[in-house]
Amino acid sequence: MTVPYIDSIMIIKRHKTRVATIGNVKIGGNNLIAVQSMVKVPAKDIRATIEQIKKLESVGCQIARLAILDEQDAHAISQIRALSGIPLVADIHFDWKLAICAIKAGVDKIRLNPGNIHKKDEIREIVALAKEHKIPIRVGLNSGSLPKQLRHKGKLTPAQRMVKAAQDYIEILEGLKFKDIVVSLKCSNILDTIEAYQKMAQACDYPLHLGLTATGFIENGKIKSAICLGSLLAQGIGDTIRVSLTGPPEEEVAVARSILANLGLGESGPEIISCPTCGRTQVDLEKIVNELQAKLSGLGNSAFAKPVKIAVMGCVVNGPGEAEGADLAIICGKAEGLLYRKAKVVKKVPIEKAVEALMQELKQM
């Protein structure tokens, strides 16, 4: 059975997966796609970590991952967990014992890298404790840290190497009677990433954590992430998403939520439709849109019971058509704007009052 999400006419049929429970968040199955990010300060700096998690919560992040470099980081999880309103994932590399510490400290999920934690005896210890605490394990592949035996397999494409590494690791976990698994296969190349997730979706029914890694400078990273993750989501692939940017984690969440919203896969909230402007535009439309976006961001998505589409248009060429398809709209002339609500003209408003008028109508809705 597939789960349809409707955005306009197109129906996205999601790839059917198992359900994994991460704290109070469920992914896979019929659940909405969850947004993740990663805390970018050391976990042992508990105050800074909590501050960053609170910021992430405020912008709609649902799951936060912590880099666990040493035992201090692992032991800090118990204090961080008590103060965090969202589930925590421990990111474990090289030292399997840090996974043991993190689980005992109360983490909600473990990420293991098959490229550097691969000894069966070590994995067995982690699995036993994960079973006891009823938490999932993410098999987290990165193209930059594949298992040695797969790094130079000339006959395999980069995507095939990623999938093979994931399947080998899953085989170990399943051999230990453990199936509470999430899988990720992140490359820095868009096409390799898409191919890897497509192949993995065909090969298993475990929830897939989408991501594109090492995306470069922030603006380029946003574009690459939108292309890559948007392509996969449009195919129904993906149960949780993390946008990786060389910048503040709050920006990662904003981009992830925007990708989901524009595919009709996100939570309820406002969407601004605005024209690119041209020589016919007689107002500073960019200023109006930025002001409106700031006011909407201040409300938060929790203020909206359902999605709201707001059109801000700069002339009468496409303005009326977009207004008819939006919940609220304003078509801007030189000194006045024509305010629409549910495709009907409400009134004329001075341009300097455009945002105020839109917000008033929004509150009445």
Side-chain angles (χ1 to χ4, degrees):
M1 178 182 174
T2 53
V3 183
Y5 280 78
I6 301 176
D7 178 22
S8 187
I9 299 173
M10 180 180 175
I11 297 176
I12 295 177
K13 295 182 178 180
R14 286 181 62 192
H15 169 63
K16 182 174 174 56
T17 60
R18 298 165 178 258
V19 174
T21 302
I22 306 158
N24 60 0
V25 176
K26 292 182 182 295
I27 63 170
N30 295 329
N31 295 289
L32 288 174
I33 297 165
V35 175
Q36 301 192 27
S37 187
M38 190 162 188
V39 174
K40 301 192 177 185
V41 295
K44 62 178 68 68
D45 188 343
I46 295 172
R47 179 176 294 181
T49 297
I50 290 298
E51 183 180 330
Q52 199 159 94
I53 289 174
K54 293 298 181 185
K55 285 182 181 178
L56 287 171
E57 284 184 68
S58 71
V59 295
C61 183
Q62 294 157 288
I63 302 169
R65 183 154 52 109
L66 307 175
I68 306 302
L69 183 63
D70 52 35
E71 286 192 11
Q72 274 187 287
D73 287 331
H75 290 309
I77 289 172
S78 59
Q79 293 183 61
I80 297 166
R81 189 72 203 82
L83 297 169
S84 172
I86 56 177
L88 303 179
V89 180
D91 195 52
I92 308 296
H93 300 265
F94 302 107
D95 187 351
W96 68 278
K97 292 181 180 178
L98 294 178
I100 300 297
C101 289
I103 296 172
K104 289 180 177 178
V107 81
D108 300 294
K109 177 184 168 189
I110 292 289
R111 179 272 175 106
L112 298 178
N113 184 342
N116 51 51
I117 295 181
H118 44 70
K119 293 181 180 178
K120 290 185 180 180
D121 289 344
E122 298 173 355
I123 297 171
R124 183 180 291 110
E125 295 287 336
I126 297 169
V127 165
L129 203 56
K131 283 182 181 179
E132 182 183 332
H133 288 256
K134 298 180 180 179
I135 65 169
I137 292 173
R138 169 151 70 95
V139 178
L141 271 299
N142 269 68
S143 56
S145 56
L146 284 174
K148 289 181 180 179
Q149 67 271 21
L150 288 171
R151 287 179 193 169
H152 305 292
K153 281 265 186 180
K155 294 182 180 180
L156 300 179
T157 67
Q160 289 172 332
R161 290 198 288 269
M162 296 276 283
V163 172
K164 180 67 166 66
Q167 290 175 322
D168 290 348
Y169 214 75
I170 289 170
E171 186 176 340
I172 295 172
L173 295 176
E174 290 180 337
L176 296 168
K177 310 299 182 185
F178 188 84
K179 292 190 175 182
D180 197 0
I181 299 167
V182 180
V183 182
S184 64
L185 311 98
K186 300 181 182 181
C187 307
S188 55
N189 178 279
I190 291 174
L191 297 180
D192 289 342
T193 301
I194 290 173
E195 183 187 349
Y197 278 106
Q198 287 173 331
K199 291 182 180 299
M200 203 69 219
Q202 293 173 353
C204 78
D205 65 352
Y206 291 116
L208 296 177
H209 167 81
L210 297 190
L212 180 73
T213 192
T215 59
F217 70 94
I218 195 164
E219 292 305 319
N220 194 50
K222 292 177 182 179
I223 295 168
K224 288 176 68 175
S225 296
I227 294 169
C228 180
L229 307 187
S231 298
L232 288 166
L233 290 165
Q235 297 173 57
I237 297 171
D239 301 283
T240 177
I241 179 175
R242 188 262 171 122
V243 170
S244 300
L245 300 175
T246 308
E250 307 94 90
E251 289 207 43
E252 297 182 347
V253 175
V255 175
R257 291 175 69 86
S258 180
I259 292 170
L260 292 174
N262 279 286
L263 287 168
L265 297 172
E267 292 182 336
S268 299
E271 177 189 4
I272 297 175
I273 306 295
S274 61
C275 72
T277 75
C278 68
R280 287 185 294 269
T281 309
Q282 300 180 75
V283 297
D284 188 345
L285 203 72
E286 183 179 355
K287 180 182 177 182
I288 293 171
V289 170
N290 289 339
E291 184 182 342
L292 178 61
Q293 180 60 56
K295 288 188 178 294
L296 292 172
S297 298
L299 292 177
N301 277 4
S302 60
F304 299 88
K306 60 182 181 179
V308 177
K309 183 176 289 187
I310 304 171
V312 181
M313 306 299 292
C315 78
V316 295
V317 175
N318 295 314
E322 292 294 347
E324 288 174 6
D327 298 291
L328 285 175
I330 191 160
I331 303 173
C332 299
K334 185 174 183 179
E336 292 181 319
L338 204 56
L339 185 67
Y340 284 73
R341 177 174 174 175
K342 297 294 184 182
K344 294 182 179 179
V345 176
V346 176
K347 60 182 176 181
K348 288 183 178 180
V349 296
I351 287 300
E352 63 271 17
K353 299 287 185 180
V355 173
E356 181 182 332
L358 286 169
M359 295 302 294
Q360 286 176 351
E361 287 294 323
L362 189 60
K363 288 175 183 177
Q364 289 178 21
M365 289 174 64

